[in-house]
Amino acid sequence: MSLRLPNPPLRAPESETGAPAPAKRYGIAIVGNDKIIDWLLPFLESYRDTNSSLPIYLIPYDDNVAMTRKAAEIYGATYVEEEPVEIDKLSHELYPGIFNNNRRRLRKLQALALPLDEVAYVDVDVILFRDFTPVFGRLEAGEREFIVASPSFEYVYNDKRDKYPFLKDVLLFNDGFWVTSNKFLKLSDFIETMKADSAIFHDVRKRGQLFAQPLVNFVTHRRGLKIELLPNVVPGSSHESFYKAPGVTFRDGKPVDIDGKEIYFAHWAGAVALPSRGVFDPAWAEYSKAAWARFKK
């Protein structure tokens, strides 16, 4: 059972000498390329509208990035130039027979190597509706070390997970959004965990075009991170983000779930076409129109 605590302050506490402690570095990380520019641009426009006070880092999915680089410049995103050598090596080792385009989904792990004290990783088939500032400054060792928005019961493990006690009663989550710190989770943790337990991982992981999500779940579970849902961290927030969520309404232009709790973002996870007729789709279309107009100036 998770312990609910009063919300901690968003600024760092003062040091013992009375001098202010250094400000914490918070930021957002995304992965993109030109193939998904139709998703990337609306995401960045929604970021500009709701979260421009937070730095954003754009991790390239591959080398198809001419338009992606331009988008990063327009929206003030830091384009991550560093080659993800260790991540690509890990992806080849884990999925040797898989086409590169799928293996590169692991590049989201580069978010863990950014110069930030806390990072919010977000998939780009998303638009943001609210300021993410309240999400930061909530991590605490032994209490909340990895924050997620939504559970994912069907798309993480297969039935063999029951053989392994450390996977009993763990929270299975969608890895399209998470917040953590490299104090609690590093890229090296993925490498070391797979060296020790890749056989177990392959035994339990769900197949079917799932690559990063089972891995992120497995490593956080294997290492015993304290995982918490967003509604248990930010009062009044919703765990809902799925683009087909039932009962969504809008209040003051922002979405709320069926219980009236605040939805922070909409995620078109698994969508096979661009948004058109769903409850979140008019907002996506407006962001897309504005983004393309800005991009073509």
Side-chain angles (χ1 to χ4, degrees):
M1 179 178 296
S2 298
L3 181 65
R4 275 42 169 191
L5 297 175
N7 297 331
L10 290 178
R11 67 176 182 85
E14 293 185 354
S15 69
E16 292 181 1
T17 63
K24 291 291 184 71
R25 300 168 300 172
Y26 303 143
I28 298 171
I30 59 174
V31 175
N33 71 351
D34 289 3
K35 185 177 180 180
I36 57 169
I37 195 71
D38 286 327
W39 289 105
L40 176 63
L41 287 178
F43 175 93
L44 288 170
E45 188 70 21
S46 74
Y47 156 79
R48 180 181 184 273
D49 188 39
T50 60
N51 281 275
S52 59
S53 65
L54 288 168
I56 188 167
Y57 292 79
L58 202 166
I59 300 163
Y61 189 79
D62 55 22
D63 295 331
N64 180 22
V65 289
M67 290 188 290
T68 300
R69 283 181 175 274
K70 179 180 176 181
E73 183 177 350
I74 290 170
Y75 287 96
T78 298
Y79 184 92
V80 179
E81 299 284 357
E82 183 180 357
E83 286 290 324
V85 175
E86 291 182 305
I87 297 169
D88 287 349
K89 181 175 183 290
L90 176 64
S91 72
H92 279 262
E93 291 171 351
L94 288 179
Y95 307 116
I98 303 298
F99 187 55
N100 269 343
N101 277 350
N102 289 322
R103 286 201 301 259
R104 289 195 183 106
R105 296 181 190 182
L106 269 61
R107 286 192 171 188
K108 66 175 61 178
L109 301 181
Q110 197 167 6
L112 299 171
L114 297 175
L116 296 169
D117 295 297
E118 294 182 17
V119 61
Y121 169 80
V122 191
D123 280 354
V124 294
D125 51 349
V126 158
I127 55 173
L128 309 179
F129 283 106
R130 301 181 190 274
D131 179 10
F132 273 27
T133 301
V135 178
F136 292 104
R138 313 284 181 169
L139 298 173
E140 184 177 344
E143 296 291 343
R144 294 174 301 275
E145 299 168 336
F146 195 86
I147 300 168
V148 299
S150 304
S152 179
F153 302 112
E154 299 179 13
Y155 302 105
V156 177
Y157 299 132
N158 58 44
D159 292 340
K160 294 180 181 178
R161 64 174 284 205
D162 295 336
K163 299 191 309 185
Y164 303 97
F166 73 90
L167 294 178
K168 184 179 181 181
D169 299 328
V170 292
L171 174 62
L172 310 184
F173 57 85
N174 184 305
D175 79 331
F177 169 89
W178 40 264
V179 179
T180 195
S181 167
N182 58 22
K183 290 195 304 182
F184 306 127
L185 187 66
K186 300 180 177 66
L187 176 58
S188 60
D189 293 333
F190 283 80
I191 295 168
E192 291 169 7
T193 302
M194 286 302 100
K195 279 183 180 178
D197 292 318
S198 62
I200 299 176
F201 170 66
H202 287 300
D203 194 33
V204 301
R205 72 178 176 89
K206 190 76 173 277
R207 268 65 171 178
Q209 299 303 301
L210 296 168
F211 302 97
Q213 183 157 293
L215 179 64
V216 177
N217 272 262
F218 183 86
V219 172
T220 55
H221 295 150
R222 189 62 173 131
R223 302 190 76 84
L225 266 68
K226 300 299 182 181
I227 304 170
E228 188 60 276
L229 284 169
L230 182 62
N232 297 332
V233 176
V234 179
S237 65
S238 174
H239 77 274
E240 192 58 81
S241 61
F242 188 45
Y243 74 107
K244 291 183 179 180
V248 173
T249 56
F250 281 73
R251 186 169 64 211
D252 299 326
K254 305 291 187 182
V256 294
D257 67 16
I258 197 168
D259 297 317
K261 294 187 175 182
E262 296 178 341
I263 295 173
Y264 270 64
F265 62 94
H267 187 191
W268 280 263
V272 295
L274 294 178
S276 60
R277 293 177 297 197
V279 66
F280 297 111
D281 296 356
W284 184 92
E286 285 298 313
Y287 279 130
S288 178
K289 180 180 178 181
W292 278 109
R294 195 181 308 277
F295 188 79
K296 292 176 179 178
K297 278 185 180 179

